[in-house]
Amino acid sequence: MIMEGRHDGAQVTWKWLQENQNIPYSEFTKFYGDLSGFVNGQREEYYKLEEACMETVRQQNSMLDSFPNVMYNKVLGIQKLQYNPGFTSTHTEHVFKTKREDI
């Protein structure tokens, strides 16, 4: 709303910061709601992707353990897949190591 009608140019962001215009509370809450919805959507998509990766690893390893594949795998030395999570935080790594999370 504040930046409407402006064009990109040299130091436009700095000019905007210097002006420090107040944003109406209703517009801020709408923006925050939209941002929260976007972040939740991204988290859900990431979660679905991680679940798909885990399922692929599980299916591959199950296939390698089934008969007669297990015989060929021993001869050929085919290794099972290892699942590694895409992104983790320090907190998440601590939970993985301790197997405990206090909610």
Side-chain angles (χ1 to χ4, degrees), residues 56-87:
T56 301
V57 169
R58 189 193 65 72
Q59 287 177 0
Q60 174 68 13
N61 290 340
S62 177
M63 184 193 70
L64 292 177
D65 286 338
S66 65
F67 184 81
N69 294 339
V70 71
M71 295 170 51
Y72 295 116
N73 296 337
K74 287 184 180 182
V75 173
L76 298 174
I78 297 175
Q79 301 293 318
K80 290 184 177 182
L81 295 178
Q82 297 293 322
Y83 172 74
N84 295 321
F87 297 99

Side-chain angles (χ1 to χ4, degrees), residues 10-25:
Q11 299 185 2
V12 170
T13 304
W14 180 245
K15 290 176 187 175
W16 179 74
L17 289 173
Q18 286 177 327
E19 291 172 4
N20 194 20
Q21 296 181 12
N22 291 329
I23 299 172
Y25 183 74

Side-chain angles (χ1 to χ4, degrees), residues 46 50 54 83-97:
Y46 175 71
E50 288 294 315
M54 285 188 287
Y83 172 74
N84 295 321
F87 297 99
T88 60
S89 65
T90 307
H91 174 74
T92 305
E93 288 177 359
H94 176 71
V95 170
F96 286 166
K97 287 178 186 174

Side-chain angles (χ1 to χ4, degrees), residues 11-59:
Q11 299 185 2
V12 170
T13 304
W14 180 245
K15 290 176 187 175
W16 179 74
L17 289 173
Q18 286 177 327
E19 291 172 4
N20 194 20
Q21 296 181 12
N22 291 329
I23 299 172
Y25 183 74
S26 61
E27 289 294 321
F28 175 75
T29 54
K30 181 182 178 301
F31 168 76
Y32 189 77
D34 292 345
L35 180 62
S36 296
F38 174 76
V39 169
N40 274 345
Q42 293 298 311
R43 285 182 179 163
E44 288 174 11
E45 290 297 319
Y46 175 71
Y47 182 72
K48 289 176 186 175
L49 182 61
E50 288 294 315
E51 280 186 326
C53 291
M54 285 188 287
E55 182 62 20
T56 301
V57 169
R58 189 193 65 72
Q59 287 177 0

